[in-house]
Amino acid sequence: MNLTFTEEQEMTRRMVRQFAQEKVAPAIEKMEQEDRFPEEIVRQMGELGLMGMPIPEQYGGMEMDYTSYILAIHELSRVSATVGVILSVHTSVGTNPILYFGTEEQKARWVPKLASGEYLGAFAVSEAGAGSDVSGMKTTAIADGDDYILNGSKMWITNGGYADTYIVFARTSKDPGSKSISAFVVEKDTPGFTVQPKEKKMGLKGSSTCPITFEDCRIPKANRLGEEGDGFKIAMANLDAGRIGIAAQALGIAEAALDASTAYAKERKQFGKPIGQMQGIGFKLADMATSVEAARLLTYRAASLRTNGHPAGKEASMAKMFASDTAMKAAIEAVQIHGGYGFTEDYPVERYFRDAKVTQIYEGTNEIQKIVVSNHLLRG
Ligand code: CAA
């Protein structure tokens, strides 16, 4: 396994790091205070080509390898986990289902707009009563002539209200279970489709998370991805890749927490010396750094498998659960190292603490990741 990045990947990293420092960092205060979606940042990411990094040039993307795309989410999330998740959801689960499962006509219709950033993508699988248990979804899509009529509601839709296209999963027959689920592209202005007021979240301020509802929402059959009944597999296959993005987001948070803690431990003096010189603090930093390194290796190992065209579902789940647990633990320790200051908004560690939590929950809870990994081991 090659543990170094290519010159092109390093260039991508430098470019994204510079963008994150120069454009994203100054926008964080407003995002946090006003819980406002960073539309201007997303527009600039489109201009830089970041909204279509792994998409082939033929569909308007940058045709970069998956590792470069993961580097971008990682670098953005070191500065803002909000911007990291907007990009990850847009690409991995908002655009890739069309690229991998769409017809040529569907790809030509939507992918170039998504890859350029003209359109923002979203993914709508979860429901109030069907989060981890995707097969338990109730939203229906009933065939009617050349159309389907959608009824039901979805929850936790990242980019909700700002997205132009939603990959929506619904049942096309009355059979329970995974085999009657189909996937559709629903455009934002379709009559009968409504975005509900956004959730008030603990963290990821600025990222928009909304319920969406379908009331006799008529969409053409031409908007179905794959065949009827392919939906569950389309969702799972794209979540396999999406989870590497969430691992990279969590890695970014964990690194930021470690960097802030190391800097603070060198500068903050108590008992006549920097607190980093006390083993109680030094050992915390050593543990954090070791976990961050392990999370980095798992994340880039999963990305590299994908870059090289190998299956990476198991490795993606391992990376996602380890990196998100690392982010949470690192953020807890970062607040502890900062003491009372860490509990205030004067230091960024309280934001890392709030942002880290959801990485253990979305794109499959870490308990679900263990099911995925154990299924790989036991089913072969
Ligand atoms: N790729 C392709 N096919 C797959 C697959 C994969 N990764 N995983 C399963 N399948 C197939 C199986 O082979 C099986 O096919 P057959 O019946 O033909 O053999 C079929 O799908 C059903 O598989 P399971 O029996 O394993 O399905 P299950 O109902 O037991 O569920 C699960 C498995 C792992 C628990 C799955 O439901 C799951 O991943 N749940 C978590 C959902 C999730 O991650 N939600 C995130 C929401 S999106 C989000 O958070 C985005 C955001 O906005 C941030």
Side-chain angles (χ1 to χ4, degrees):
M1 179 185 166
N2 189 352
L3 295 176
T4 56
F5 295 118
T6 63
E7 185 48 39
E8 198 187 357
Q9 289 164 346
E10 285 294 354
M11 271 171 54
T12 303
R13 186 220 286 276
R14 283 196 292 275
M15 184 265 284
V16 179
R17 183 172 287 190
Q18 190 180 352
F19 173 76
Q21 281 162 356
E22 289 178 5
K23 304 289 183 192
V24 180
I28 289 175
E29 196 175 332
K30 204 174 176 73
M31 264 196 274
E32 284 293 309
Q33 299 302 331
E34 299 176 15
D35 196 4
R36 182 186 293 225
F37 186 84
E39 284 181 274
E40 179 57 17
I41 300 283
V42 173
R43 192 189 62 73
Q44 291 172 351
M45 291 202 297
E47 279 176 6
L48 277 178
L50 299 184
M51 303 303 276
M53 292 179 77
I55 309 299
E57 280 178 7
Q58 123 182 61
Y59 300 110
M62 300 281 279
E63 201 159 333
M64 288 183 163
D65 59 61
Y66 208 76
T67 303
S68 298
Y69 159 65
I70 289 302
L71 267 168
I73 296 175
H74 174 188
E75 285 297 331
L76 289 168
S77 302
R78 288 177 69 208
V79 173
S80 166
T82 290
V83 175
V85 78
I86 292 170
L87 178 63
S88 181
V89 167
H90 163 81
T91 313
S92 310
V93 289
T95 305
N96 280 350
I98 308 176
L99 184 67
Y100 294 126
F101 296 94
T103 59
E104 271 313 315
E105 207 182 348
Q106 290 171 328
K107 289 189 237 185
R109 183 168 162 204
W110 289 301
V111 177
K113 286 181 176 159
L114 287 158
S116 68
E118 181 186 340
Y119 274 17
L120 185 67
F123 182 77
V125 71
S126 303
E127 297 183 359
S132 294
D133 181 12
V134 172
S135 311
M137 72 172 62
K138 298 244 180 316
T139 298
T140 53
I142 304 301
D144 184 44
D146 289 338
D147 300 330
Y148 284 99
I149 300 174
L150 271 63
N151 277 289
S153 54
K154 297 280 171 184
M155 278 196 82
W156 315 120
I157 311 308
T158 301
N159 297 340
Y162 292 88
D164 298 273
T165 49
Y166 295 74
I167 311 293
V168 176
F169 296 85
R171 244 174 231 300
T172 37
S173 86
K174 289 202 169 75
D175 301 337
S178 64
K179 300 266 186 295
S180 61
I181 295 172
S182 305
F184 305 92
V185 181
V186 178
E187 299 203 22
K188 67 173 178 184
D189 292 325
T190 311
F193 168 61
T194 313
V195 178
Q196 303 295 340
K198 70 178 182 184
E199 307 291 344
K200 291 184 179 157
K201 306 192 300 289
M202 172 201 286
L204 292 188
K205 299 288 184 188
S207 149
S208 176
T209 309
C210 305
I212 57 175
T213 51
F214 302 95
E215 280 178 86
D216 293 331
C217 173
R218 187 176 280 274
I219 57 166
K221 280 193 172 159
N223 287 26
R224 191 188 68 223
L225 296 175
E227 298 300 321
E228 279 198 3
D230 284 351
F232 188 85
K233 288 185 185 180
I234 293 176
M236 290 302 126
N238 287 287
L239 281 167
D240 279 351
R243 287 164 182 160
I244 311 176
I246 301 306
Q249 184 206 21
L251 176 59
I253 299 170
E255 264 186 16
L258 172 63
D259 291 349
S261 302
T262 307
Y264 189 77
K266 285 187 196 167
E267 154 211 310
R268 169 78 172 164
K269 289 199 176 95
Q270 288 291 276
F271 305 103
K273 57 184 177 182
I275 60 170
Q277 287 182 19
M278 298 174 197
Q279 282 191 338
I281 301 297
F283 284 7
K284 280 189 197 298
L285 294 175
D287 285 342
M288 286 160 80
T290 305
S291 297
V292 165
E293 193 59 33
R296 183 181 296 127
L297 293 173
L298 281 170
T299 302
Y300 284 105
R301 157 86 174 141
S304 145
L305 284 171
R306 243 195 108 77
T307 291
N308 292 298
H310 301 296
K314 180 181 70 178
E315 291 76 7
S317 286
M318 288 173 165
K320 192 271 188 193
M321 78 174 143
F322 190 86
S324 59
D325 285 348
T326 298
M328 194 67 247
K329 283 187 211 147
I332 289 172
E333 291 295 42
V335 172
Q336 188 69 19
I337 290 168
H338 283 71
Y341 295 105
F343 199 62
T344 70
E345 292 178 7
D346 296 343
Y347 285 82
V349 291
E350 64 86 31
R351 172 164 60 92
Y352 306 149
F353 185 95
R354 289 184 289 103
D355 286 353
K357 186 61 213 171
V358 76
T359 66
Q360 296 177 305
I361 297 171
Y362 60 20
E363 295 219 7
T365 62
N366 283 1
E367 292 73 18
I368 288 293
Q369 307 311 323
K370 288 181 190 178
I371 292 177
V372 173
V373 173
S374 60
N375 280 348
H376 274 278
L377 297 172
L378 299 169
R379 294 180 188 174

